[in-house]
């Protein structure tokens, strides 16, 4: 059970769990199946900024309060009322929500139950790992409504599944059910209950060094797309940032004393 909850606007909550330094970022606009309106995008960005600044959070789990959907993407009812100028003005706000999740410094896990479509799937793709259950339906159907994925989908999906497979999924706009999504690598874990498994996975991650977790994530993210020599330099910089930390000293001391580490987190 969460020990506390902080609201960010009407549609987003951050829950802090009693054990394991795990935070839950909850998409909480159930009446609209978590369609991302301008207000909700602002709240996601604000919640991510608060989480990024909280050194006590070792893992963030992205979940939904809706029983039918993780997130169905952009709020097209709101978009239908926009002029071109409105759309231009809203763009930085929308991007801020997706990049907020993508740039969280700690490991992130998405728990996908029900529909994760368009921007909803892009929020999941912005996480390091995606856990789904049998109800999950994922996809990037933007070209079917005259736009393209704009929350990172054209860049994140090819990195996850390869260029040709991503092209087929984006160009056909098709929706993929859970079993095929796991087979194609669109999700990483299939579970009976996505949220329960995602929180359990987060707890297993969170027992490890927070400095090590953040620097390992940084090295993997920055090294993507680089040639091997350049990637190894990125890794070396992240190693140095970790090797001379209090966490490294505590980890070695705890190993030799055969006790559980008490990570200083610095």
């Amino acid at each position: 059970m969460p020990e506390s909850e902080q609201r960010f606007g009407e549609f987003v909550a951050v829950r802090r769990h009693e054990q394991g330094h795990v935070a839950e970022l909850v998409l909480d606009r159930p009446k609209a199946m978590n369609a991302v309106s301008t207000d909700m995008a602002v709240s996601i960005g604000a919640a991510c900024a608060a989480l990024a600044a909280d050194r006590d959070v070792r893992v963030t789990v992205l979940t939904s309060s809706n029983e039918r959907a993780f997130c169905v993407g952009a709020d097209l009812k709101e978009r239908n009322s926009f002029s071109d100028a409105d759309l231009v003005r809203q763009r930085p706000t929308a991007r801020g929500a997706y990049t907020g999740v993508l740039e969280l410094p700690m490991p992130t896990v998405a728990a996908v139950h029900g529909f994760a479509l368009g921007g909803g799937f892009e929020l999941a793709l912005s996480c390091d790992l995606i856990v789904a259950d049998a109800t999950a339906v994922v996809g990037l159907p933007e070209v079917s409504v005259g736009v393209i994925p704009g929350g990172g989908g054209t860049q994140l999906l090819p990195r996850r599944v390869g260029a040709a497979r991503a092209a087929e999924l984006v160009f056909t706009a098709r929706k993929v059910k859970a079993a095929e999504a796991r087979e194609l690598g669109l999700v990483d874990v299939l579970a009976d209950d996505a949220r329960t498994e995602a929180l359990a996975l987060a707890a297993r991650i969170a027992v490890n060094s927070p400095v090590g977790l953040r620097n390992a994530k940084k090295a993997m993210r920055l090294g993507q797309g680089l040639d091997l020599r350049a990637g190894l330099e990125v890794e070396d910089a992240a190693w140095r940032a970790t090797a001379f930390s209090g966490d490294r000293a505590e980890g070695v001391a705890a190993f030799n004393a055969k006790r559980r580490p008490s990570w200083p987190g610095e």
Side-chain angles (χ1 to χ4, degrees), residues 12-230:
V12 176
V14 171
R15 296 173 182 162
R16 295 295 301 274
H17 288 258
E18 293 177 2
Q19 299 178 359
H21 301 274
V22 173
E24 187 177 353
L25 176 56
V26 186
L27 306 177
D28 189 25
R29 195 185 178 202
K31 291 181 180 179
M33 298 176 73
N34 289 328
V36 181
S37 63
T38 301
D39 286 347
M40 188 172 178
V42 169
S43 296
I44 292 171
C48 288
L51 285 166
D54 190 341
R55 300 293 299 186
D56 196 48
V57 177
R58 298 180 189 174
V59 188
T60 295
V61 180
L62 182 59
T63 68
S64 163
S65 66
N66 186 269
E67 294 183 356
R68 294 182 55 210
F70 174 75
C71 174
V72 294
D75 186 340
L76 295 184
K77 290 183 179 179
E78 179 188 63
R79 292 279 180 91
N80 193 47
S81 70
F82 280 4
S83 66
D84 288 353
D86 291 333
L87 193 60
V88 169
R89 279 192 293 270
Q90 195 236 17
R91 178 62 175 161
T93 300
R95 286 194 71 186
Y98 300 107
T99 57
V101 175
L102 183 65
E103 293 178 358
L104 283 170
M106 74 290 291
T108 51
V109 183
V112 175
H113 175 85
F115 296 103
L117 301 173
F121 189 37
E122 289 174 305
L123 286 171
L125 289 170
S126 297
C127 294
D128 299 300
L129 295 164
I130 303 175
V131 176
D133 61 31
T135 69
V137 179
V138 305
L140 297 175
E142 283 88 344
V143 297
S144 70
V145 293
V147 292
I148 71 165
T154 66
Q155 305 305 304
L156 295 170
L157 191 59
R159 284 167 166 78
R160 174 175 272 273
V161 300
R165 183 162 287 165
E168 184 267 325
L169 292 164
V170 171
F171 296 162
T172 64
R174 72 184 179 94
K175 302 173 181 66
V176 182
K177 294 182 179 179
E180 185 186 4
R182 176 65 185 90
E183 181 182 341
L184 296 179
L186 301 175
V187 305
D188 303 301
V189 178
L190 277 185
D192 292 335
D193 183 287
R195 178 177 176 271
T196 298
E197 178 58 32
L199 288 170
L201 175 59
R204 294 195 296 273
I205 294 170
V207 300
N208 297 304
S209 157
V211 174
L213 290 171
R214 289 180 179 229
N215 283 331
K217 174 169 178 171
K218 185 176 182 180
M220 288 189 283
R221 285 286 180 91
L222 292 179
Q224 279 188 342
L226 300 179
D227 64 53
L228 180 58
R229 186 181 297 274

